[in-house]
Amino acid sequence: ERHPPDVVTMDIQMPRLNGFEATKRIMTSTPTPIVICSSLDVRDVAISLEALRAGALAVLPKPGGPGSRQFEQESRHFIATVKAMSRVRIVRREAQASIAPPPVVAPRVQRRTAPPQVIGMVASTGGPAALHRILSSLPADFPLPIVVVQHIAIGFAEGLARWLDGASKLHVRVAEHGAPLRAGRVYVGPDNRHVGVAADHTIVLSDAPPIGGFRPSGTFLFESIARAYGAASLGVVLTGMGRDGTDGLRVLREAGGTVIAQDEATSDVFGMPAAAIAEGLADLVLPLPAIATHLTKSA
């Protein structure tokens, strides 16, 4: 608090206070980009998701010493991650737990759209906690299918789906090619494959090249939803770095669909939502606590 740093690297196992609790306290009192770095197995999905939920922006294995064969590669990756995270703007955790302020209507002409039949959600940095908040707030009888793209490390998609499934009244699973879209089901994009929907309202998985460096990509998802559902499409862009999904949202809006962007105050990283808003693609700009409420009323 006295000397705010640009970034903090935080271990998990520490005396008196572990890294998860320390991260939560920092994010509540003095929001700061935090990189969890541990000798524990950070490939353990439970450890990584707990760290991300606490407010960390990234989770890395602790690099070996200079005698390690992988020292150069591991240390370069570590330094690059810490530098990138130091430039991220983050928000106070209590802002996300507060009573939701009224929605902000984007400054544009409102359009008539069809009732939604499908929801596409895209998130990156800060996304697991945001998805957890939204999906855990939706009722068991929620009538629409939800397809999710979350940028996350290879090997974590299955664990993310299980984690979200345990928190939600809906059924959350990793998407499988050809699976029919069903009400009250959430389909999480798998590792290193695009996820979208087909004209017959089934899941499509694709090995097409990354879009903007991402596979799965939000743009792939939103474009496919627009083609399959037209004006009955609803796209949600959540916290994250960069602008993935923006080009797809443009296609979705041109098809008559509706776009919701998470607001700046509750976004851990106001990158992807900011890009959509800046290009005039958002019909509504909502704080995180209000998104599930709006989806329930719209369904």
Side-chain angles (χ1 to χ4, degrees):
E1 293 179 350
R2 292 192 304 272
H3 306 288
D6 295 318
V7 64
V8 170
T9 58
M10 179 78 69
D11 205 340
I12 294 174
Q13 295 176 308
M14 301 185 295
R16 295 193 300 275
L17 193 67
N18 68 44
F20 300 140
E21 186 60 31
T23 296
K24 290 177 186 176
R25 293 193 188 183
I26 291 172
M27 292 301 293
T28 298
S29 64
T30 312
T32 305
I34 296 174
V35 177
I36 292 284
C37 175
S38 178
S39 56
L40 295 177
D41 182 9
V42 297
R43 301 293 295 178
D44 183 316
V45 174
I47 291 175
S48 289
L49 291 177
E50 180 63 26
L52 295 174
R53 190 180 181 193
L57 295 183
V59 186
L60 298 175
K62 189 176 291 185
S68 166
R69 269 187 226 172
Q70 304 298 319
F71 177 72
E72 291 296 331
Q73 178 182 347
E74 290 178 348
S75 55
R76 279 198 303 269
H77 177 58
F78 177 81
I79 292 169
T81 300
V82 171
K83 283 184 175 180
M85 294 302 104
S86 73
R87 295 188 288 269
V88 171
R89 177 207 172 274
I90 46 82
V91 298
R92 191 180 299 271
R93 282 270 139 170
E94 66 185 18
Q96 297 195 9
S98 62
I99 297 174
V104 177
V105 178
R108 56 179 295 109
V109 176
Q110 297 298 296
R111 304 162 301 127
R112 286 183 172 274
T113 57
Q117 296 180 21
V118 66
I119 297 170
M121 288 187 187
V122 176
S124 186
T125 312
L131 290 167
H132 187 281
R133 178 70 177 265
I134 293 170
L135 297 181
S136 64
S137 300
L138 294 175
D141 60 351
F142 189 73
L144 303 179
I146 302 173
V147 187
V148 172
V149 163
Q150 166 65 54
H151 302 157
I152 200 165
I154 299 295
F156 282 77
E158 185 67 46
L160 175 66
R162 288 197 305 268
W163 184 62
L164 294 173
D165 184 64
S168 175
K169 301 178 185 71
L170 309 181
H171 297 283
V172 185
R173 298 290 184 271
V174 173
E176 297 181 358
H177 187 76
L181 293 178
R182 301 191 186 282
R185 300 292 177 97
V186 182
Y187 306 85
V188 176
D191 290 333
N192 200 30
R193 300 190 77 187
H194 291 302
V195 61
V197 300
D200 61 356
H201 299 175
T202 59
I203 290 289
V204 171
L205 300 182
S206 171
D207 293 318
I211 299 174
F214 295 105
R215 189 171 67 188
S217 160
T219 285
F220 185 98
L221 172 62
F222 289 142
E223 287 181 351
S224 72
I225 287 175
R227 289 192 297 268
Y229 285 88
S233 306
L234 176 57
V236 181
V237 58
L238 301 171
T239 174
M241 295 177 68
R243 63 185 308 279
D244 181 42
T246 302
D247 293 337
L249 288 174
R250 185 175 295 104
V251 175
L252 188 148
R253 286 198 91 261
E254 288 171 353
T258 301
V259 174
I260 297 173
Q262 185 177 350
D263 74 351
E264 182 175 7
T266 62
S267 293
D268 278 351
V269 182
F270 194 55
M272 288 158 44
I277 295 166
E279 298 199 21
L281 301 175
D283 295 287
L284 285 173
V285 181
L286 298 175
L288 181 60
I291 292 177
T293 301
H294 185 82
L295 295 179
T296 302
K297 289 180 180 177
S298 301

